Amino acid sequence: MTKTPSVSGLFRHSSSRRQFLIGTAGVAALGLLSSQARAADGLVALVHTQAAGDNGPVDGMIASLKRLAGEKGFATRIIYAQDAATYESIFRSLGDAGASVVVSTFNEVAEPFKAVAPEYPNTKFVQLYADPFEPAIPNEVTVAYDYYLGCYLSGLFGSRISKTGAIGYIGGASIPGQIADLNALKAAAAVIGPNIKFTGAFAGSFQDPAKGHEIANQLFQSGVDYIQTDSAATDTGIIQAATEAPGRLVSAISREQYKLGPKAVAAIVKLDFGLSLYQEVSKALAEGWKGHHVATGIDTGVIDFELSDTFLKEGPADLVAKAKEIWPDIEKAKKEIIAGTLKVPLNTAL
């Protein structure tokens, strides 16, 4: 059963993240391509379209690229592309600089990649969080993530640990992948029982903690006591709202978020963009690499549903005990998903 909040506009629709990310011109980022970078051998660049400092995807990608660069000895450039109007210019500048690999983020760079990648056949392009290209581009990898599978597990867990019988979801935007995440939680709630109430919402931004806080408070005040976050930097506000009253729980997206709410962040549906970047750049630097599409499942280490060690140490005793009681069943369901005996619906319709 779906419970719709009384607050008008809780669901916000958009076909793309791009409109939420266009800000002031990011042309200054091109200045990072210095003469030293142009002379660098094996330059690997990360162009991220959401701001760093999110305790999540972008911070993870930056850290992993730096770690891999230290291991392999290549030069790096990390550029925040704040304005969608500059994407193509930045990618072309990196191609002109002789970059070996250019990694960029999320659906909004698909069209710029399609325009630029064929012009630089010696540069390998990697798009993290992407639909496959038809036809495929020989020097580009697109990477998709079955995050909805982790959200299904979160829905099972949340529905059983909830004391009120009401769980929720807050995503950044109503794009197909996030709608699938919402629907997976809803499906899991239905499996647990008809008395579990489910509420889904979208913040309309991946970088608005204040909006996340506002919506989370609406859900908590309506009786929800477990929320799955799915909105990058907006998650910070959701977690803050959870810490403001006892008994409120959140499943977040990154281990870095445990410290934001030690007693409230019970788990994460992990999408380790840092590990994904590390894996895909490592492949791109190896011989025999060809452009293709990567479908990242729950058996790859990139996606998982994890119980927080911090919560087990610092969370309310009754909820910690309940989490431990539930967890073997969650692990069983995960194994069944990997084995293919438990089929989770991929539903991208609201």
Side-chain angles (χ1 to χ4, degrees):
M1 177 178 179
T2 302
K3 180 181 179 184
T4 303
S6 59
V7 179
S8 174
L10 195 55
F11 278 90
R12 300 174 183 269
H13 299 273
S14 170
S15 61
S16 168
R17 293 186 184 189
R18 179 180 296 183
Q19 70 186 76
F20 304 123
L21 300 172
I22 296 176
T24 57
V27 177
L30 300 177
L32 293 173
L33 301 177
S34 63
S35 58
Q36 179 182 3
R38 293 176 185 276
D41 181 28
L43 173 66
V44 177
L46 168 62
V47 181
H48 56 95
T49 56
Q50 294 176 12
D54 60 356
N55 292 301
V58 176
D59 287 355
M61 286 184 272
I62 292 171
S64 287
L65 181 59
K66 290 179 178 179
R67 177 163 67 92
L68 185 59
E71 295 171 3
K72 301 289 187 181
F74 55 75
T76 66
R77 286 296 176 271
I78 298 171
I79 300 170
Y80 175 27
Q82 192 173 3
D83 185 348
T86 68
Y87 293 170
E88 286 193 28
S89 296
I90 292 172
F91 298 148
R92 284 197 172 90
S93 295
L94 289 165
D96 290 339
S100 295
V101 182
V102 174
V103 184
S104 196
T105 56
F106 313 131
N107 284 331
E108 58 268 20
V109 302
E111 294 306 316
F113 262 19
K114 289 178 183 177
V116 174
E119 299 176 15
Y120 298 92
N122 294 324
T123 297
K124 299 168 183 177
F125 291 83
V126 178
Q127 183 184 348
L128 302 180
Y129 198 98
D131 296 322
F133 288 173
E134 296 294 344
I137 296 175
N139 61 324
E140 176 166 358
V141 158
T142 50
V143 186
Y145 305 96
D146 291 336
Y147 193 75
Y148 74 101
L149 298 176
C151 287
Y152 181 85
L153 295 174
S154 175
L156 295 178
F157 177 80
S159 296
R160 291 188 57 187
I161 202 170
S162 170
K163 291 184 176 181
T164 64
I167 69 170
Y169 165 91
I170 301 175
S174 56
I175 56 178
Q178 296 222 314
I179 295 170
D181 299 341
L182 179 154
N183 284 329
L185 272 112
K186 184 178 179 180
V191 166
I192 296 302
N195 294 327
I196 302 297
K197 297 178 182 180
F198 173 80
T199 305
F202 296 100
S205 174
F206 293 89
Q207 302 188 82
D208 191 345
K211 190 64 177 179
H213 184 272
E214 175 189 346
I215 296 174
N217 262 333
Q218 292 171 10
L219 297 189
F220 286 131
Q221 290 169 9
S222 75
V224 168
D225 62 354
Y226 178 93
I227 294 175
Q228 175 61 52
T229 72
D230 198 6
S231 55
T234 299
D235 287 354
T236 303
I238 300 169
I239 295 169
Q240 180 184 348
T243 66
E244 291 171 356
R248 295 178 174 183
L249 296 179
V250 167
S251 171
I253 61 176
S254 168
R255 290 172 183 164
E256 289 298 312
Q257 294 171 317
Y258 292 161
K259 63 188 177 185
L260 303 180
K263 297 180 180 180
V265 181
I268 59 170
V269 178
K270 182 184 74 172
L271 199 175
D272 193 336
F273 278 102
L275 177 58
S276 181
L277 179 146
Y278 186 97
Q279 291 175 349
E280 297 308 323
V281 172
S282 295
K283 294 174 188 175
L285 294 173
E287 295 293 330
W289 181 93
K290 295 180 181 179
H292 61 289
H293 182 69
V294 178
T296 311
I298 203 168
D299 58 343
T300 61
V302 172
I303 297 171
D304 204 352
F305 182 58
E306 299 180 355
L307 193 58
S308 166
D309 289 340
T310 303
F311 176 78
L312 293 178
K313 294 175 183 176
E314 302 185 34
D318 59 335
L319 292 172
V320 169
K322 185 66 174 178
K324 291 178 178 179
E325 175 190 334
I326 295 167
W327 200 250
D329 292 335
I330 304 303
E331 289 288 343
K332 180 175 180 288
K334 179 163 62 176
K335 290 176 181 177
E336 291 173 349
I337 291 173
I338 293 171
T341 55
L342 174 55
K343 303 292 186 182
V344 179
L346 175 60
N347 181 358
T348 60
L350 279 175

